[in-house]
Amino acid sequence: MASVTVRSSSHDYEVLIGKGLRHHLVEFISSGYTSILVITDSTVKDYYLQDVKESLSEAAPVFTAVVPAGESSKSMVRYEELLDSCVDVKLDRKSLIIALGGGMIGDLAGFVSSTYLRGIDYIQMPTTILAHDSSVGGKVAINHPKGKNLIGSFYHPVKVIYDIETMETLPESEIRSGYGEVIKHAFLSDEDWAHRLLKGKLSELSVNQLESDIMKGIQVKASIVEKDEREAGIRKYLNLGHTLAHAIEAELGYGEITHGEAVAVGLLFMMKLSNELKGAQLPIQAYKEWLDNNNYPVSVLTRIRPDRMLERMRLDKKTLRRKINFVLLHELSDPYVVEIEEAQLLEQMSLLINEVSGE
Ligand SMILES: NC(=O)c1ccc[n+]([C@@H]2O[C@H](COP(=O)([O-])OP(=O)(O)OC[C@H]3O[C@@H](n4cnc5c(N)ncnc54)[C@H](O)[C@@H]3O)[C@@H](O)[C@H]2O)c1
Ligand SMILES: [Zn+2]
């Protein structure tokens, strides 16, 4: 088992990562909780809820709440239902919530924890690779019909317990999704790691490799959010690849491709802008091959229109005084934020679309 400590303005917390941790939860949870509510989704429930319940049974009375799997559960309706559950099972200030699932559950259960009784303790138990990103940093939220994550708060867990064995049941598309954010963290921080990832194939990933990549990803995220918890400055770097990714997700409709897959495509555009407009020499060819070899849905680029993407990017949170800002790289591990002219964005997007469609 490995661990990282994350510092936040409210408290420090540990991220534990290892194989089979779900069977030993009592060892990692402070004593003295009056009761525990495990919140999970309908898919994760079938795989892991029983193990988690059994493992917690010595710690305190355990209750469970299950929401349907999928992003649409990050909603006002499910939020309200979960608050009802908290009241029904009489959670008090000394109770604990456990978020057992991917980023959807982490964000939803974290938001419930942050507001019930003005905030009670919660633990993240991530079950997706992508959740290495969402379980650290304290952002919790639900969606509004008009936009993602519009209702939320900053609220850190008391612990993150990452049982790497739970990744074994992930479908391929979720492995790709998780690695979209993993490779983003590598591009932001470590040239050697990035090159190592580019040489590998996700279908041949070993458990040890996965554990190490997740750990490194968490360290990158933690070190950035520790310095800038509320995104006044360098936390923006974590948006690498996301300006186009968010526009693609919104345009295609959420769920058409996964978030991390959209990020992986967004990173390709980031490389193109960095190289073509700013003279960087990022390994775009190697990256394209990696995307191909791992079946990333790069062809979505042929289904989008640059002018519509531009319109959506104007809504990006980094857009200030109507200027579109991008996170780019001078070189691997050297990010910066820069404003890009709309005409240049349109041109580079069209060029990339042509390249991808083989014209
Ligand atoms: N708070 C943050 O900083 C932050 C950062 C990034 C993403 N997010 C949020 O995270 C969410 C996306 O997270 P996600 O990609 O983990 O999605 P998710 O939680 O919806 O999980 C994806 C799918 O995988 C299934 N699943 C989960 N674990 C599984 C397992 N071990 N085996 C088999 N199937 C499993 C789920 O049921 C779901 O169908 C979005 O809502 C996004 O906004 C938050
Ligand atoms: Zn992301």
Side-chain angles (χ1 to χ4, degrees), residues 41 43-44 47-48 69 71 74 102-104 107 127-128 130 133-134 139 148-149 166 169-171 174 221:
D41 76 29
T43 301
V44 178
Y47 290 118
Y48 305 112
E71 182 68 18
K74 249 175 78 173
M104 183 281 281
D107 280 12
T127 63
T128 63
L130 186 124
D133 183 7
S134 56
K139 281 188 181 177
K148 271 193 71 161
N149 299 328
T166 63
T169 47
L170 283 176
E174 297 301 336
K221 171 119 190 208

Side-chain angles (χ1 to χ4, degrees), residues 133 181 242 259 263:
D133 183 7
E181 299 282 6
H242 279 61
H259 173 66
V263 170

Side-chain angles (χ1 to χ4, degrees), residues 258-324:
T258 63
H259 173 66
E261 287 173 327
V263 170
V265 175
L267 289 170
L268 179 62
F269 188 48
M270 173 284 293
M271 281 196 170
K272 177 110 185 125
L273 294 176
S274 303
N275 286 0
E276 300 295 326
L277 301 180
K278 305 290 173 190
Q281 295 190 317
L282 302 172
I284 195 163
Q285 201 46 43
Y287 184 55
K288 269 187 185 158
E289 282 162 22
W290 183 80
L291 291 172
D292 274 350
N293 290 340
N294 292 296
N295 302 321
Y296 278 88
V298 181
S299 63
V300 292
L301 285 170
T302 62
R303 292 164 53 196
I304 56 166
R305 277 181 30 197
D307 56 332
R308 293 186 58 100
M309 289 293 104
L310 198 65
E311 217 160 280
R312 295 206 182 261
M313 287 194 272
R314 291 194 188 110
L315 299 173
D316 184 84
K317 64 183 168 186
K318 292 185 297 313
T319 297
L320 278 178
R321 290 180 283 278
R322 312 195 54 204
K323 308 278 190 207
I324 300 178

